[in-house]
């Protein structure tokens, strides 16, 4: 029976020796325990802050929800539909964009705080310069995030260290003025410690100029004009930035890392960070791809462009209602596809009589899906975006245009605006504005070949500046904040979106009656915004949608309901 | 001797051979047994003691006049039964039938009864009545008390169970003729609910044992031949000997930390009989959709689109998109030029009329008293309904060997391998083919591909858009060693590795189409097919299970003990990688090497987990009358922090076989009466692999380096760690009653249970401003009450054998404390006080008939007009109706969405070689919602109008009377948010009754082929899922997902042959 014993022991031993080790660690992820000990790890933590999701401008950035930062504004139109921002139904729970803006901003903030709290672990392995630069980098991002939060939500929860669960549940909202002061401190530190430029061998993250510029932006939003002016001036005085000579080319994907970029993040099709899907197709016309033509420049935007004499269309004798692109500021055709221009190899014409259009590629007439005559889903108001879009978008429906978060033209116009509002109008104000305008005409600002701004009345100059910003920055994600801070959203966001009739028969009747392209000339108000309400024959246009904005609440976004539920101490913004 | 009368019982499968050889095998006694034939000696000892006791109590009746009786024992098929035991009742006089079924019994009293028994068949008692020849036809035993049921780490007779266990024999599974095991379980057992949402090739369904156990994971643990398996579909249905489902804690707690949602034990077939047998089965089926919804034709669609636009923008006029003449003349225009004026039936374009399914199953069993082998091979080839690019096939092989090396040492070695290959189109047309509008062409009349709506062409994308080919290999083995150091003790050691390898090739092809029927030069690419891209994925994983356990049985006087203790260890490792290239120039070469060097990407990751467990069981009974059982399991899992890693899961149960009591002796119509009760705790550890640790996620933003864009690496923590995270614990109590009547012809089993899951892992809703994703915490509570009932009847009328089995079960799950969290998804709410997944939405109040009605009522928005659905104003911010309908204050719980009163049943008839089977299944009560896919007209601005709403919606063209009778709201896009919000307006009675299977077979008698070795030939025809009765609107199957692959019904022809 000895054999039996051996076998029993053998079997038992084999099984029991295979007793498993239960202390298993993640295999393909790192653990926080051992992090922040060297330069590489700090750099990797900082890199994360530059993911597109933290700097949303387009549909992709938040994984969809709204098309772009301009969608809630009056520059934008999506067929005959509205979103919760524009139909007045926004609440704390129905906009992924609001919720994401809140949570992603805080995500970035908490990552900044973690870096700032832990960087001392790596201090021995860093030079003082790098150590301070990394701190500055994290503070810069944190300040940008808090700027965004207080701009949209007003008073918010403010903290600068990692919260424990207990602390988190008992947070209250800090007055935005107080937060703003902290934001300035962070930007000031960043401006002091960040490099002006990076060496060719270094990863380029935030710079000194970006810190000044972003500070100017938040100061201007909160009407802190002195701070805004000084920050903008500091940025300009760095002498590191110039206006890119060609306005249209500036936004194309081939223009990389231009001299005008004060703060931007590159996109790359090759490395997996492109614009794609709806963020691309929405802007293209029906001839290029489909589904498409859902994101169109509004008639409001189109009518805001000045004529080449520097006057709005309701004043300028140069405006021809039948040839609406003629004699307009060059940025008009650089932003919106001009009728009968070559667009992706097609002659772009939304005219209902043009069932066929010329294909430059094929050298013959082809079916024109951009015409309301042959495609009911062709752009509902006849307009299609040009800015930033070229063949790079259509080949694979992916685009890698640089994301321009802050460019020099904005710094110049912010400087001008701050000075105008301070009623401190001098030649530097006019020069700053003229530089921007002259670039559009591809001439020097000292030249006389463009409608130079000479106005010095504060009121009139304010109108000019607002129009200038709209022409310059259309579809760059700035318009919404502009109409909010100027407090004109309650007016312009209550206008109606107009467009073209839908069926072929009614479209043809529209053309026959001479209404094409837009039946009349809208009045342009003191903010440079067209008001279609008095326009003749308006009933001939198709009423696409009626925007709704309630001044009693919509200047602030609602605090996401989910957070109020876990921390009722937050309270909701008024009237939500 | 007297004890044969007592032991009319059957025998465990494993020891059949022994019984046949040793006539007086004490295993004929009712007894809890282990799985090993070496138990035999132990049993002898017990039996001897047992006999001594009872022998003196029971009197035998000796008779004088004797004769010699002969006869033939046959199966109902006419086949002879070799080795059947034939006994003179009340004596030890017995014999066995020979290979042709003949037996000879001498010295039989002329008025004696003879008892005939054979493994797997009902025992029969026949009075000799002075005849010299008595032929007996044995019928197959239904699930019976003496059936041996697999329980954790052992087996037990059903009679000895004190927990709730359902079992089903392999032949019932095979009879359903399903490709996947899970489908065959639908309606087969009480308390086991199988739901499915499509019949796509290779898919199965979801199993729930006694409803929902956790909001995390309610899939039962699957054990195949004692070893944890990844999926119930790892095994070929025709390899299954039997399936046991451990439903209550007392039964399942031996599997402790992973058993909370029930345990399904599958035992595969093993070599059994003397000699060799080969059987082969072939079947061919035609699968076709049970139902398909209808959609509007082109003119109806155009009218509806115009009407919708008119409703939404009255100033735009009535004919905004399609002119009146066009609609009026559409059919004649269509006749002239169907390319320009199409009326596309997308479903007909995308689907075949039927798809074929082939199944080959070959089995070989051989054995002698030293070794037994069972080899089975299976091949299933299932074609899908799509016209191209959809298929599934599976090849399986299983070899189970049992080798007895010596009296005290035996071993078994099982090897199984499986390969499945599924082909799916990269673009599944299931969704769009239902909804695409008919006014767009899919193909032109000359065969060229059209674009559908601007490139949205489900047909073209499915046919030419490339395939996803998923090939999986699985190889598993199990080596087990059994040692009996002395009688009564069996030590088992098991080592079972399992390897999986998956290879997936996603090849997305560019598809160009002609943008105009009359323009050959203008082409474009279909949606989602702009580029040709390849992604290759490889994943491999393995698991290794090792077990060591000992069973010890001992009887002392009337006290019967059975103890078991053991260890189990498990380790699982998974790793995958993928690589891709994009923008191929050619569409013929789905290999990475043929793609361009740019647009490359790749990734990979890995994880592992492990557990160690110690477990034990003690079973005791006194005189097979009073039973007690206790189990425990002590589990440690790698998923938790060291300090919170180990947990103890105990259970106890008790049973009382009342019918064994003396006061029941005279109640002869009750053959069994048993009550039993159990309580126990179970756990769930399936909550991710490293939930207690904060891990850093890597990502790669792009930034500039100089003027070059570079992908840089980023890292950040995304989830807050909760270090003390631990098991979910489920506590279950069960009360059961089993009654058999009329000599076991009628059998009833009923159970009532209560279970509560505590420390359920919930997403702890932390404020978003903390900047982390919500971590899991042990917090939630949910409770389920339910009952299961099984009823069986079997008997014979002359040559007709028949059996009927029915099962019915119900449960209701209510959420307890959820720490204030709630989960609302797909209009289903899970929150404190709600049922699990309860419908949540508005209460409707009909359809607004007039503008006055609208203006005087609370509405969801200013867009609401006459013809839209009216809702009740439930509450507001102040707790009273506020004159507005909004999501925060006016939505309420609308009732549970889960199926209630699940029932199923089988009717089997057998008459002279003809067999007939009907299996049915149904749901007695269910609230189902008509999804917005099913009822919304012109969804997404271009989809079609569902056929069910045509002429039944509120319309400005209708009279007031017609409108007041309208079933559906007006056509409107602006009204969509209002009308298709979840509300009771869209709830319907979702109960249904389905005939799962009707099979009729015929076994040819006396084929005359015995000489060539053919023992049996059976042909059969079967209808699966063929008849369904429900309250769903026309065209909708009660189980189908509104956007997925259809549920199919099948006609099947098959033949099986046995050598």
């Amino acid at each position: 029976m000895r054999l039996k014993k051996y076998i029993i022991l053998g079997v038992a031993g084999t099984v029991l020796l295979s007793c498993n080790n239960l202390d298993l660690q993640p295999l393909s992820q790192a653990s926080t325990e051992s992090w922040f000990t060297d330069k590489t790890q700090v750099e990797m933590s900082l890199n994360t802050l530059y993911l597109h999701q933290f700097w949303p401008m387009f549909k992709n950035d938040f994984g969809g929800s709204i098309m772009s930062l301009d969608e809630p504004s009056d520059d934008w139109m999506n067929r005959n539909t509205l979103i919760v921002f524009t139909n007045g139904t926004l609440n704390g729970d129905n906009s992924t964009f609001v919720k994401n803006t809140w949570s992603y901003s805080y995500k970035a903030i908490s990552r900044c705080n973690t870096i700032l709290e832990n960087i001392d672990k790596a201090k021995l392995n860093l030079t003082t310069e790098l150590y301070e630069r990394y701190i500055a980098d994290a503070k810069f991002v944190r300040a940008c995030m808090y700027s965004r939060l207080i701009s949209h939500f007003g008073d918010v929860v403010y903290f600068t260290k990692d919260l424990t669960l207990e602390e988190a549940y008992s947070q209250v909202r800090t007055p935005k003025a107080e937060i703003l002061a902290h934001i300035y401190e962070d930007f000031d530190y960043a401006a002091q410690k960040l490099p002006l430029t990076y060496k060719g061998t270094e990863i380029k993250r935030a710079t000194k100029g970006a810190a000044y510029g972003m500070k100017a932006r938040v100061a201007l939003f909160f009407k802190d004009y002195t701070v805004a002016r000084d920050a903008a001036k500091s940025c300009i005085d760095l002498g590191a930035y110039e206006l890119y000579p060609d306005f249209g080319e500036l936004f194309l994907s081939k223009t990389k890392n231009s001299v005008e970029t004060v703060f931007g993040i590159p996109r790359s099709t090759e490395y997996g960070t492109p614009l794609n899907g709806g963020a691309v197709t929405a802007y293209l016309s029906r001839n290029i791809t489909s589904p498409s033509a859902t994101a169109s420049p509004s008639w409001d935007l189109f009518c805001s462009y000045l004529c080449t004499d520097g006057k709005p269309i309701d004043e300028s004798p140069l405006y021809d209602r039948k040839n609406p692109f003629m004699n307009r500021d060059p940025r008009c055709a650089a932003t919106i596809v001009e009728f009968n221009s070559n667009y992706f190899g097609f002659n772009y014409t939304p005219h209902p009589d043009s069932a066929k259009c010329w294909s430059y590629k094929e050298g013959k007439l082809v079916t024109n899906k951009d015409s309301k005559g042959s495609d009911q889903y062709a752009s509902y108001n006849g307009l299609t975006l040009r800015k930033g879009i070229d063949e790079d978008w259509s080949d694979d429906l992916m685009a890698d245009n640089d994301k321009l978060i802050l460019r020099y033209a904005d710094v110049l116009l912010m400087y001008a605006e701050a000075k105008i509002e301070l009623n401190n109008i001098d030649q530097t104000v006019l020069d700053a504005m003229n530089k921007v305008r002259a670039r559009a005409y591809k001439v020097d600002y000292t030249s006389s070949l463009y409608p130079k701004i000479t106005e010095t009345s504060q009121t009139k100059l304010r109108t000019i500046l607002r129009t200038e910003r709209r022409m310059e920055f259309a579809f760059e994600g700035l318009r919404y904040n502009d109409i909010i801070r100027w407090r004109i959203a309650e007016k312009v966001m209550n206008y109606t979106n107009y467009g073209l009739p839908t069926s072929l028969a009614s479209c043809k009747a529209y053309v026959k009656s001479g209404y094409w392209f837009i039946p009349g000339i809208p009045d342009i108000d003191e903010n440079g915004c067209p008001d279609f309400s008095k326009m003749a024959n308006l009933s001939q246009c198709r009423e696409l949608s009626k925007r709704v904005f309630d001044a009693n609440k919509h200047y602030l976004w609602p605090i996401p309901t989910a957070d109020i539920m876990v921390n009722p101490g937050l309270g909701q913004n008024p009237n939500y | 001797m007297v004890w044969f009368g007592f032991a009319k019982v059957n025998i465990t499968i494993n020891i059949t051979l022994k019984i046949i050889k040793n006539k007086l095998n004490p295993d004929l006694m009712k007894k809890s047994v282990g799985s090993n034939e070496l138990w035999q000696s132990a049993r002898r000892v017990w039996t001897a003691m047992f006999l001594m006791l009872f022998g003196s109590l029971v009197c035998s009746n000796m008779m004088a006049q004797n004769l010699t009786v002969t006869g033939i024992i046959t199966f109902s098929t006419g086949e002879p039964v070799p080795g059947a035991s034939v006994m003179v009742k009340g004596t030890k006089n017995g014999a066995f039938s020979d290979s042709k079924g003949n037996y000879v019994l001498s010295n039989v009293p002329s008025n004696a009864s003879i008892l005939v028994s054979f493994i797997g068949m009902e025992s029969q008692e026949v009075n000799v009545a002075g005849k010299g020849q008595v032929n007996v036809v044995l019928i197959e035993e239904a699930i019976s008390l003496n059936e041996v049921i697999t329980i954790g780490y052992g087996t037990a007779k059903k009679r000895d169970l004190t927990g709730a266990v359902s079992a089903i024999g392999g032949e019932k599974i095979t009879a359903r003729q399903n490709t996947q095991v899970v489908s065959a379980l639908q309606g087969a057992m009480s308390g086991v609910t199988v739901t499915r949402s499509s019949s796509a090739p290779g898919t199965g369904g979801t199993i729930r044992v006694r409803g929902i156990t956790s909001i995390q994971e309610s899939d039962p643990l699957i054990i195949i031949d004692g070893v944890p398996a990844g999926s119930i579909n790892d095994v070929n249905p025709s390899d299954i000997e039997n399936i046991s489902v451990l439903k209550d804690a007392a039964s399942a707690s031996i599997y402790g930390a992973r058993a909370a949602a029930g345990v399904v034990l599958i035992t595969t077939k093993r070599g059994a009989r003397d000699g060799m047998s080969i059987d082969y089965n072939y079947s061919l089926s035609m699968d076709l959709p049970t139902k398909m919804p209808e959609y509007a034709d082109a003119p109806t669609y155009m009218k509806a689109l115009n009407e919708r636009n008119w409703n939404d923008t009255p100033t735009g006029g009535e004919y905004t998109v399609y002119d009146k003449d066009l609609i009026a003349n559409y059919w004649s225009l269509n006749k002239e030029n169907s390319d320009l004026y199409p009326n596309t039936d997308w479903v007909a374009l995308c689907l075949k009329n039927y798809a074929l399914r082939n199944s080959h199953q070959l089995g070989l069993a051989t054995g002698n008293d030293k070794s037994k082998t069972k080899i089975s091979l299976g091949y299933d080839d299932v074609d899908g309904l799509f016209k191209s690019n959809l298929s599934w096939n599976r090849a399986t092989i299983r070899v189970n060997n049992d080798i007895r090396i010596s009296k005290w040492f035996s071993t078994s070695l099982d090897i199984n391998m499986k390969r499945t290959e599924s082909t799916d189109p990269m673009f599944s047309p299931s969704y769009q083919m239902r909804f695409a509008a008919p006014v767009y062409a899919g193909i032109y009349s000359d065969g060229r591909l059209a674009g559908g709506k601007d490139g949205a062409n489900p047909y073209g994308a499915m046919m030419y858009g490339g395939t996803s080919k998923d090939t999986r290999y699985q190889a598993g083995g199990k080596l087990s060693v059994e040692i009996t150091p002395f009688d009564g003790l069996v030590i088992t050691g098991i080592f079972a590795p399992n390897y999986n390898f998956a290879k997936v090739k996603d090849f997305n092809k560019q598809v160009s189409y002609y943008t105009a029927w009359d323009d050959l030069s203008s082409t474009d690419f279909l949606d989602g097919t702009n580029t040709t891209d390849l992604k290759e994925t490889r994943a491999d994983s393995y698991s290794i299970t090792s077990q060591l356990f000992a069973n010890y049985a001992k009887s002392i006087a009337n006290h019967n003990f059975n103890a078991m203790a053991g260890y189990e260890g498990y380790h699982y490792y998974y790793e995958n990688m993928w690589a891709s290239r994009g923008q191929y120039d050619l569409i013929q070469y789905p290999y990475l090497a043929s793609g361009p060097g740019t647009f490359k990407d790749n990734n990979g990751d890995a994880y592992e987990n492990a557990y160690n467990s110690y477990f034990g069981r003690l079973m005791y009974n006194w005189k097979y009358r009073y039973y007690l059982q206790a189990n425990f399991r002590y589990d440690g899992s790698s998923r938790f922090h060291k300090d919170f890693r180990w947990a103890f899961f105990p259970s106890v149960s008790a049973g009382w076989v009342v019918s064994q009591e003396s006061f029941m002796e005279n109640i002869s119509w009750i053959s069994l009466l048993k009550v039993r009760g159990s309580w126990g705790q179970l756990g769930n550890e399936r909550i991710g692999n490293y939930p207690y640790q904060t891990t850093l996620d890597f990502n790669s933003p792009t930034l500039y380096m100089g003027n070059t864009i570079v992908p840089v690496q980023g890292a950040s923590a995304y989830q807050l760690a909760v270090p003390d995270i631990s098991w979910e614990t489920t506590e279950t109590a069960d009360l059961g009653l089993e009654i058999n009547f009329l000599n076991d012809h009628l059998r009833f089993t009923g159970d009532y249970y209560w279970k509560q899951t505590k420390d359920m892992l919930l997403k702890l809703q932390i404020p978003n401003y903390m900047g982390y994703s919500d971590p899991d915490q042990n917090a939630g509570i949910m409770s389920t009450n339910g009952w299961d009932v099984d009823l069986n009847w079997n008997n014979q009328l002359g040559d007709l054998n028949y059996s009927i089995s029915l099962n019915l079960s119900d449960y209701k799950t209510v959420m307890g404390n959820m720490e204030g969290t709630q989960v609302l998804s797909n209009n289903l709410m899970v929150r404190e006080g709600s049922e699990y997944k309860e419908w949540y939405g508005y209460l409707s109040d009909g359809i607004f008939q007039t503008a006055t009605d609208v203006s005087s009522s609370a509405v969801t928005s200013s867009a609401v007009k006459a013809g839209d659905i009216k809702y009740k104003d439930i509450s507001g911010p102040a707790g009273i109706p506020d004159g507005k309908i909004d999501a925060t204050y006016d939505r309420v719980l609308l009732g549970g969405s889960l199926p209630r009163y699940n029932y199923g049943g089988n009717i089997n008839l057998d008459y002279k070689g003809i067999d007939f089977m009907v299996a049915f299944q149904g749901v007695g009560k269910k609230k189902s919602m008509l999804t917005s896919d099913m009822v919304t007209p012109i969804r997404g601005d271009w989809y079609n109008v569902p056929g069910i709403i045509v002429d039944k919606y509120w319309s400005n063209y209708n009279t007031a009377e017609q409108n007041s009778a309208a079933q559906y709201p007006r056509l409107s896009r602006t009204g969509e948010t209002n009308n298709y919000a979840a509300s009771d307006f869209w709830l319907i009675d979702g109960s249904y009754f389905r005939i799962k299977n009707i099979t009729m077979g015929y076994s040819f008698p006396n084929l005359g082929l015995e000489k060539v070795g053919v023992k049996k030939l059976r042909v059969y025809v079967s209808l699966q899922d063929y008849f369904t009765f429900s309250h769903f609107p026309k065209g909708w199957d009660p189980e189908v997902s509104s956007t997925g692959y259809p549920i199919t019904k099948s006609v099947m022809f098959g033949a099986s042959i046995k050598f």
Side-chain angles (χ1 to χ4, degrees), chain A residues 447-490:
Chain A
S447 152
S448 58
L449 297 170
Y450 75 101
K452 190 176 288 183
I453 301 159
T454 52
E455 185 60 60
T456 51
S457 132
Q458 188 193 30
T459 323
K460 287 188 178 164
L461 204 50
R462 181 183 288 138
T463 304
I464 294 169
L465 181 114
R466 290 180 180 187
T467 309
E468 198 67 21
R469 280 190 74 85
R470 190 173 202 182
M471 295 193 293
E472 179 73 17
F473 299 121
F475 280 74
E476 290 185 55
L478 296 178
R479 175 69 180 170
Y480 178 74
N481 272 9
D482 282 352
I483 60 175
I484 294 293
R485 64 194 179 88
W486 293 332
R487 285 293 185 275
I488 62 170
E490 61 198 79

Side-chain angles (χ1 to χ4, degrees), chain B residues 334-356:
Chain B
N334 170 264
K335 213 171 242 177
E336 281 167 31
N337 185 345
S338 63
D339 293 340
L340 195 52
Y341 303 100
N343 178 48
T344 306
D345 180 345
W346 289 98
V347 169
L349 191 61
C350 293
L351 296 191
K352 297 174 194 164
N353 291 329
Y354 59 85
L356 290 179

Side-chain angles (χ1 to χ4, degrees), chain B residues 872-909:
Chain B
K872 288 180 184 154
D873 189 4
I874 308 290
S875 185
I880 48 161
D882 59 349
K884 281 194 299 191
I885 304 292
D886 65 68
T888 318
Y889 300 108
D890 297 310
R891 290 188 296 177
V892 294
L893 294 169
L894 299 171
S897 68
L898 299 181
R900 304 283 304 272
Y901 305 107
N902 290 287
Y903 59 87
N906 259 301
I907 298 171
N908 286 283
L909 304 174

Side-chain angles (χ1 to χ4, degrees), chain A residues 1 3-4 7-8 11-12 15-16 18-32 35 43-45 47-48 50-52 79-81 89 102-103 106-107 110-111 114 157 159 162-165 168-171 199-205 256-257 265-271 273 286-291 356 362 364-367 369 375-377 380 395-398 402 502-506 542-543 562-563 565-567 570, chain B residues 301 305 309 313 319-323 408-409 440 453-455 481 483-486 491-494 513 515-516 518-519 521-522 524 527 530-531 546-548 567 569-571 573-574 583 598-600 604-612 614 636-638 642 645-646 690 692-707 709-718 720 764-773 820 822 941-942 973:
Chain A
M1 283 295 106
L3 178 64
K4 194 188 277 188
I7 290 177
I8 293 169
V11 169
V15 172
L16 292 175
S18 69
C19 207
N20 292 296
N21 173 22
L22 301 182
D23 286 314
L24 303 182
Q25 302 298 321
L27 294 167
S28 50
Q29 295 158 305
S31 165
T32 41
W35 203 250
E43 285 253 353
M44 282 170 77
S45 299
N47 288 341
T48 292
Y50 294 87
L51 285 170
H52 284 285
R79 294 189 174 173
N80 53 348
T81 62
T89 60
W102 176 267
S103 58
Y106 275 115
K107 235 170 227 180
S110 102
R111 287 166 194 197
T114 308
V157 176
F159 54 95
D162 251 350
L163 296 177
T164 64
L165 264 176
Y169 285 116
S170 58
Q171 289 291 312
K199 288 182 220 135
T201 53
E202 286 176 324
I203 300 293
K204 182 184 175 186
R205 289 187 298 266
K256 302 284 186 202
N257 205 18
I265 301 174
R267 293 186 171 281
S268 164
T269 304
E270 193 180 353
Y271 299 125
T273 54
R286 305 295 283 178
N287 273 338
I288 313 310
T289 186
S290 59
K356 301 249 170 193
E362 296 180 41
K364 62 168 191 167
L365 286 171
V366 296
T367 309
K369 292 198 283 181
D375 190 326
Q376 59 163 311
Y377 299 101
Y380 277 42
D395 56 358
D396 52 3
L397 301 181
M398 286 197 269
D402 274 4
T502 310
S503 82
L504 185 56
S506 47
R542 185 168 170 211
E543 199 180 304
D563 275 16
M565 279 169 73
V566 289
N567 180 4
L570 292 181
Chain B
Y301 172 78
L305 185 59
N309 285 354
T313 320
Y319 299 95
T320 46
V321 180
Y322 298 105
D323 294 327
W408 52 270
F409 185 28
Y440 303 102
K453 185 207 171 247
D454 303 319
V481 175
I483 300 156
T484 312
F486 53 85
I491 299 169
T492 309
I494 288 174
Y513 69 93
T515 49
D518 55 350
D519 185 353
S521 65
S522 173
D524 207 338
D527 287 2
N530 287 288
T531 58
S546 41
Q547 296 173 351
L548 178 68
Y567 159 82
Y570 178 88
H571 181 227
Y573 180 89
Y574 171 91
Q583 312 208 355
T598 44
F599 310 109
K600 291 191 285 196
D605 58 36
Y607 62 86
E608 60 184 336
N609 55 61
Y611 64 76
N612 288 323
Y614 303 92
S637 166
S638 69
K642 283 212 284 288
R645 177 170 292 160
W646 290 90
Y690 314 101
Y692 70 93
Q693 303 196 23
T694 300
T695 52
L696 287 163
D697 250 16
F698 295 115
N699 45 55
S700 58
T702 44
L703 287 168
Y704 277 108
M705 186 186 271
N707 280 319
I709 300 173
V710 293
V712 297
Q713 199 168 20
S716 58
Y718 63 101
L720 200 68
L764 169 66
Q765 284 197 339
I766 59 170
N768 284 303
Y769 53 75
M770 277 193 86
Y772 291 99
S773 308
Q822 60 177 48
D941 217 14
W942 73 280
R973 182 163 178 141

Side-chain angles (χ1 to χ4, degrees), chain A residues 312-330:
Chain A
I313 58 169
D314 62 341
E315 287 173 24
S316 172
L318 297 177
Y319 182 65
D320 177 357
R321 192 176 66 77
K322 308 261 176 186
N323 288 300
F325 281 90
M326 204 171 71
N327 300 327
R328 303 290 293 280
D329 185 289

